[in-house]
Amino acid sequence: MKPTIYDVAKKAGVSITTVSKVINNTGSISEKTRKKVLKVMEEMDYYPSGIAAALTVKKTYTIGALLPDISNPFFAEMAKSLENSAREHGYSIIFCSTDYLIEREKEYLDLLFKKQIDGLIIAIEPSDSDMIQKLQKKHLPHLLLSVDNPVLRTSIVSTDDRLGGYLAGNYLLEKGHREVSVIYEDNRSSSRYRLKGFMEAFENANLNVNKNLIIPSKSKMEEAREAARIILKREKKPTALFATTDLIATVFINEARKLNIAVPDGISVIGYDNTIYAELCEPGLTTIAQPVTDLATYAIRMLLETMEKPDLPKAKILLTPKLLERESVKDIN
C-alpha cells in the first residue's frame, strides 16, 4: 500500500504540519528534524502528490506544450530543446501532439487544465480564437511558438519566416532558376509567410511563380507524396522546388528517385528547418535553418516572465533564419 504523509509523520515522530513544511521547504524547522523527515521519506519511498503540493505553493512547476506532430523532426527537436531549457529553471513539460486534429486540441487542453499546469506553449495553429480567450479567462500564462498569427492577441516567439522564404527564393534566382515550384503547408501561418517571402524574391526580380506549380500539403508523408507526384508527373517540369519543410523536401527527393529523376541534375530542391532529415538526405539538403535551441530558450524565458508578472505587455520575438548550402541545388547559369 502506498505510504501517506500520515505514515511519514508517525514514523518520524513529528506532526503532519512539520512533514508538510519539509516537503514545501517552508517554515522554521531545525536541520536535524528536516534531515530526519527526509530520511524517513526515502526509507518509505514516499513521494508527495504534485497536486497536493500545488495547493500549498500554488505551483506545479509544470508547463504544457501543444505540438502539431511529434513525429515531424522539427517538432521533435523543438520538444527536446524546450525540455532542456525548462529543466534548467526547475520545470517539467507535458507534451501533447494533436496530429492537426481539432478534437484532440480541445481534449488535450482540458487535460492540461486538470493537470494544473503553470503555463502553456502553443506550437499548433489554433483552430480559432476560442482557445486564447479560454486561456485568458482562466488567467493561464501562454504564448505562441513558431506560429505568427496577428489575429491571436498573445505573445509570440518565432523565426522570421517571411525572410526565410525570401532567402530561399533569392538563392534559387542566383543559381539561375526561373521555372520553380513550391510545396507549402496551407494550414500553418509560418509556411504561408515562407511562401510570401519566396514570391517577393521573384517579384523583386520582375518574375512570377506559376500558380499552377504552388501545391498545398500538410507536412505529413502521404500528403507530401501526393504533392510531389503532381509536380514530377508534369510534362514540363520546373528546374527547382522550394519545400517549406525539410520533411516535404525529403519526400519529394525520394519520389523523384523512384521516377529516375536525379537531384540536383534533374531538378533542384531547397527545404526549410534544417532538421536531421537535411543531413541524412542524399544528396545533402540545402535548407533554411531555424535556430531551434534559441527559439526554445526564448519561449521558456518569456513564459516564466509572464508567470511572474502577468501584466507584462504582449511581446513578439522574431529570430533570424539562415541559409545552409549543401548539394541539392544545381547552378544552371
Side-chain angles (χ1 to χ4, degrees):
M1 187 175 176
K2 185 179 178 181
T4 67
I5 191 172
Y6 300 97
D7 298 323
V8 174
K10 184 177 180 180
K11 186 171 181 178
V14 298
S15 67
I16 296 170
T17 302
T18 297
V19 177
S20 178
K21 287 179 179 179
V22 171
I23 292 170
N24 297 299
N25 198 25
T26 59
S28 179
I29 303 172
S30 70
E31 186 64 17
K32 181 180 178 181
T33 300
R34 189 181 72 84
K35 287 182 176 179
K36 182 180 180 181
V37 172
L38 289 173
K39 184 179 180 181
V40 170
M41 287 171 60
E42 184 178 355
E43 290 173 351
M44 299 184 74
D45 200 24
Y46 171 76
Y47 296 96
S49 163
I51 299 301
L55 293 174
T56 304
V57 300
K58 296 183 179 179
K59 274 189 178 183
T60 59
Y61 289 95
T62 306
I63 294 169
L66 292 172
L67 306 177
D69 184 4
I70 201 70
S71 67
N72 184 320
F74 173 74
F75 290 108
E77 291 175 22
M78 177 64 76
K80 181 179 179 181
S81 295
L82 284 170
E83 185 175 34
N84 289 340
S85 184
R87 283 176 61 86
E88 290 177 4
H89 296 277
Y91 281 79
S92 299
I93 297 190
I94 300 173
F95 293 106
C96 298
S97 181
T98 66
D99 201 28
Y100 301 97
L101 299 174
I102 296 175
E103 54 270 28
R104 283 195 189 180
E105 173 188 314
K106 294 177 179 178
E107 288 171 5
Y108 281 137
L109 190 60
D110 288 340
L111 171 67
L112 292 172
F113 283 143
K114 291 175 183 176
K115 294 293 184 182
Q116 298 188 7
I117 56 173
D118 298 327
L120 178 65
I121 292 172
I122 306 167
I124 64 170
E125 195 82 36
S127 54
D128 50 45
S129 60
D130 288 350
M131 174 191 285
I132 303 301
Q133 292 173 1
K134 193 173 183 179
L135 294 170
Q136 291 171 344
K137 190 174 181 180
K138 287 183 174 288
H139 304 289
L140 182 69
H142 59 278
L143 58 80
L144 294 176
L145 176 59
S146 290
V147 177
D148 186 359
N149 191 330
V151 176
L152 304 172
R153 297 185 177 180
T154 187
S155 293
I156 294 169
V157 177
S158 186
T159 303
D160 189 340
D161 289 302
R162 191 168 173 175
L163 172 60
Y166 187 91
L167 292 174
N170 194 56
Y171 179 77
L172 290 182
L173 287 168
E174 289 177 351
K175 297 299 181 182
H177 296 277
R178 301 294 182 268
E179 295 294 325
V180 299
S181 182
V182 181
I183 301 179
Y184 77 106
E185 294 178 289
D186 61 341
N187 62 330
R188 285 189 66 83
S189 58
S190 56
S191 275
R192 294 193 292 272
Y193 278 119
R194 294 167 196 178
L195 173 61
K196 189 170 186 177
F198 187 84
M199 301 280 278
E200 285 175 354
F202 275 74
E203 289 166 5
N204 289 348
N206 295 316
L207 296 167
N208 292 312
V209 179
N210 185 340
K211 291 184 179 180
N212 292 325
L213 291 174
I214 300 174
I215 312 297
S217 169
K218 287 189 178 72
S219 196
K220 297 178 77 69
M221 292 287 186
E222 196 49 51
E223 289 203 28
R225 285 192 190 101
E226 289 300 320
R229 289 165 187 162
I230 291 172
I231 296 167
L232 292 168
K233 289 182 179 179
R234 287 177 63 94
E235 187 174 343
K236 186 181 178 182
K237 297 176 182 60
T239 64
L241 167 85
F242 170 47
T244 59
T245 72
D246 287 347
L247 187 151
I248 293 174
T250 304
V251 169
F252 184 90
I253 291 173
N254 287 338
E255 291 303 307
R257 185 176 292 115
K258 292 176 186 177
L259 296 173
N260 295 316
I261 300 172
V263 174
D265 292 335
I267 188 168
S268 294
V269 180
I270 182 169
Y272 202 109
D273 287 334
N274 193 38
T275 61
I276 192 170
Y277 279 3
E279 295 184 52
L280 296 178
C281 189
E282 180 58 42
L285 181 65
T286 294
T287 189
I288 305 299
Q290 293 204 66
V292 177
T293 301
D294 289 342
L295 284 168
T297 300
Y298 277 107
I300 294 296
R301 188 181 301 168
M302 182 183 286
L303 187 63
L304 294 181
E305 286 177 357
T306 305
M307 291 179 195
E308 294 298 321
K309 301 175 182 177
D311 296 327
L312 279 176
K314 305 299 183 225
K316 181 176 180 178
I317 296 175
L318 288 182
L319 302 184
T320 304
K322 66 178 182 179
L323 187 141
L324 286 182
E325 189 174 23
R326 294 191 178 94
E327 301 83 35
S328 62
V329 176
K330 182 179 180 180
D331 191 331
I332 60 173
N333 286 306

